[in-house]
Amino acid sequence: GNTDEVTGTGYTAGGATLTNTSPVISGSVAYVTFNNPSWTTATFTTTGCIVYNTMKRQGTTNRAVAVYDFAGSQSVSAGTFTLLMPTAASSTAVIRFQ
């Protein structure tokens, strides 16, 4: 499990459920992206995020799908923190298979 998850006002442990997860096939590339999750009235600092699968498989849940580094600390103080997902396209989506 993740042992260094962010804590702070307005953030709930486990993060946010990502939505709009319908995969798309474009030519030889399959991809998926998600809506932008956000936390309102939030105060915290983070350096990255993990996209993980909560479905149980062979007795295990919360398997990491992707890990992202923000290349430095990103902070919010009594405001809205929004994670901007890339455009849903075969060359830019969050998760791509070719």
Side-chain angles (χ1 to χ4, degrees), residues 17-58:
T17 300
L18 298 176
T19 58
N20 193 20
T21 58
S22 297
V24 176
I25 296 175
S26 176
S28 63
V29 179
Y31 62 90
V32 65
T33 198
F34 308 98
N35 291 339
N36 299 328
S38 64
W39 294 264
T40 58
T41 318
T43 301
F44 61 83
T45 299
T46 185
T47 58
C49 70
I50 299 173
V51 175
Y52 61 93
N53 184 342
T54 60
M55 300 293 292
K56 190 172 203 172
R57 182 178 168 131
Q58 297 179 342

Side-chain angles (χ1 to χ4, degrees), residues 7-12 38-45 75-82:
T7 59
T9 305
Y11 179 81
T12 302
S38 64
W39 294 264
T40 58
T41 318
T43 301
F44 61 83
T45 299
S75 299
V76 61
S77 180
T80 299
F81 184 92
T82 301

Side-chain angles (χ1 to χ4, degrees), residues 66-83:
V67 177
Y68 297 96
D69 184 331
F70 296 158
S73 296
Q74 303 297 314
S75 299
V76 61
S77 180
T80 299
F81 184 92
T82 301
L83 182 58

